[in-house]
Amino acid sequence: MSRRGEHLHYVDLVRVLTVGLVIGLHVLALAPFAPGVPIGGLIVVFHVSREVFFLLTAFVLTYSTARKPRWREFWRRRYLFVVVPYLLWTVVYFLADGGPYSAVAFFSELLTGTARYHLYFLLVSMQIYLVWPAVRGLIAVTRRYHWALLAFAVAFQLVFSLAVQQQWNLGGLSGWVHAPDAWLPSYLGYVLVGALAGTHRERLVAWTRAHVRVVLGGCAAALALGVAVYLGQVYLAGQPPLVASIVFQPVVAVESFAVAWAFLAFGLVWTERGTPWCGVVRATSDASFGVYLIHPLLLQGLLLAVAAAGPAQPPDAVLLPVLVLAVVPLVYSVSGLVTALARRTPASLALTGRARVRARVPAPALVPTGGTR
């Protein structure tokens, strides 16, 4: 059982695994080839990365704000480390698109997080920080009814995902349902579940440690359900693989809760085995935000190079292993290397969302002053 304020090593592993899913999703979805059914099936699994990140964000915020922080200081620090990189990378990705450039287009992308497909996450994070005191207050006020709040959160996320998938007409809310990515209410269920998990962290960790096989078995069943629903949408409903594997659908919500719990189980097993490669995992975890910010730019360059080479469409049996086993690790490792280098420059905050890493100056050797014997 960890003490309050202690570093949660299992969170490091969860973060590393989740970033891997993010990169995997973007590699598969953006490859310059028409995705076949197998690739779409993997996309519907990798889509859980978005939801797991929001669950993890709420979990970690609950743990880090358990001692009732000064909210002004909380907002000042949190916004400093997300707004500055958001502004910089919006400019970078706006320019990287190659034009045409206009002030109207730039400010539209700045306000909507659409300069690149992953920047919505920063906008939603800002919204989470803004309302976090209210979330903590809700968790405190409903402390006798947390099971009911959990049921509401899960039910809300399932229904909302169905509304987006089916494009329900909700009157004045239809605009939100048709473009849900950058709005906090789209992820309300995940934030509440993450906050509840963080509130009952010690009980959750103890139960998960005692039932690792149950958690992993449940995750496998959820993923099998996700793939089965996807195949039904492809072969029975006639949907293209990319349409059938969209992120906002109820089965992805089920997968997301299951994968997040399985990642927690992996993290706990890892800590019980002595946290092998702890230094590498923790460094990768620390660089994860920078990797998230940087990797689409590297992927864009790689995709442009592939498109210029003009290779023929390979079969999925060849394409899928190459993308997952070669391209994903390449993008991940290069992004991590660039992040590590950027962390040692004055631009670290803007480029990686983290403070600059200062080189440690070794202490001077003690030289005896009375001669030697």
Side-chain angles (χ1 to χ4, degrees):
M1 184 178 296
S2 61
R3 298 179 297 275
R4 192 169 299 281
E6 180 183 352
H7 182 78
L8 303 180
H9 290 282
Y10 54 83
V11 169
D12 290 333
L13 186 60
V14 173
R15 190 175 286 117
V16 169
L17 293 173
T18 307
V19 172
L21 288 183
V22 170
I23 296 175
L25 170 64
H26 293 161
V27 167
L28 292 175
L30 299 171
F33 303 104
V37 174
I39 290 180
L42 199 53
I43 287 175
V44 84
V45 173
F46 283 12
H47 260 316
V48 305
S49 56
R50 174 186 305 204
E51 289 79 2
V52 173
F53 255 136
F54 287 121
L55 286 161
L56 181 62
T57 297
F59 182 91
V60 171
L61 283 176
T62 301
Y63 180 71
S64 63
T65 59
R67 295 183 177 180
K68 298 180 179 180
R70 298 175 180 176
W71 291 115
R72 288 185 180 180
E73 176 61 22
F74 169 83
W75 284 321
R76 184 196 67 79
R77 180 173 177 80
R78 291 286 174 173
Y79 280 117
L80 175 66
F81 285 96
V82 72
V83 172
V84 174
Y86 177 74
L87 293 174
L88 173 70
W89 284 103
T90 295
V91 173
V92 170
Y93 286 116
F94 177 75
L95 297 176
D97 280 339
Y101 303 118
S102 73
V104 173
F106 171 75
F107 283 107
S108 174
E109 293 184 358
L110 180 66
L111 294 175
T112 59
T114 53
R116 193 58 98 242
Y117 44 80
H118 68 316
L119 291 177
Y120 74 90
F121 179 80
L122 279 71
L123 281 183
V124 178
S125 297
M126 295 179 207
Q127 296 168 62
I128 293 175
Y129 299 153
L130 179 64
V131 304
W132 191 247
V135 174
R136 291 307 310 266
L138 176 64
I139 297 298
V141 169
T142 61
R143 59 185 176 276
R144 296 176 58 187
Y145 307 101
H146 281 178
W147 280 112
L149 183 59
L150 176 64
F152 164 78
V154 173
F156 170 85
Q157 206 61 59
L158 291 172
V159 172
F160 178 77
S161 298
L162 181 63
V164 177
Q165 182 190 35
Q166 301 298 324
Q167 293 290 281
W168 288 357
N169 184 358
L170 300 180
L173 297 178
S174 294
W176 164 37
V177 171
H178 295 161
D181 296 86
W183 298 101
L184 171 59
S186 305
Y187 313 98
L188 177 62
Y190 301 116
V191 172
L192 291 178
V193 171
L196 288 168
T199 301
H200 300 281
R201 177 182 54 84
E202 294 182 352
R203 291 172 58 188
L204 174 65
V205 165
W207 194 95
T208 303
R209 277 199 176 110
H211 301 88
V212 169
R213 292 184 179 180
V214 174
V215 173
L216 297 183
C219 179
L223 295 179
L225 174 64
V227 173
V229 169
Y230 161 78
L231 293 175
Q233 292 173 157
V234 170
Y235 291 115
L236 299 180
Q239 296 180 358
L242 278 181
V243 174
S245 61
I246 61 171
V247 62
F248 282 104
Q249 56 176 312
V251 75
V252 172
V254 174
E255 288 180 313
S256 300
F257 290 123
V259 169
W261 205 342
F263 279 3
L264 172 62
F266 284 136
L268 294 174
V269 170
W270 177 65
T271 57
E272 289 177 352
R273 295 185 177 180
T275 61
W277 297 88
C278 180
V280 174
V281 171
R282 187 160 184 178
T284 306
S285 173
D286 186 58
S288 61
F289 191 37
V291 170
Y292 182 84
L293 293 168
I294 291 169
H295 82 271
L297 189 63
L298 300 177
L299 182 57
Q300 179 181 357
L302 182 61
L303 293 177
L304 288 174
V306 172
Q313 170 90 35
D316 278 0
V318 174
L319 180 61
L320 192 56
V322 170
L323 293 178
V324 174
L325 300 179
V327 179
V328 172
L330 174 65
V331 173
Y332 203 153
S333 58
V334 173
S335 299
L337 177 60
V338 173
T339 299
L341 295 174
R343 288 289 307 278
R344 285 157 176 79
T345 71
S348 177
L349 172 62
L351 290 172
T352 72
R354 293 291 183 268
R356 181 181 182 182
V357 175
R358 301 286 182 176
R360 294 183 178 180
V361 179
L366 296 178
V367 179
T369 57
T372 57
R373 294 183 181 180

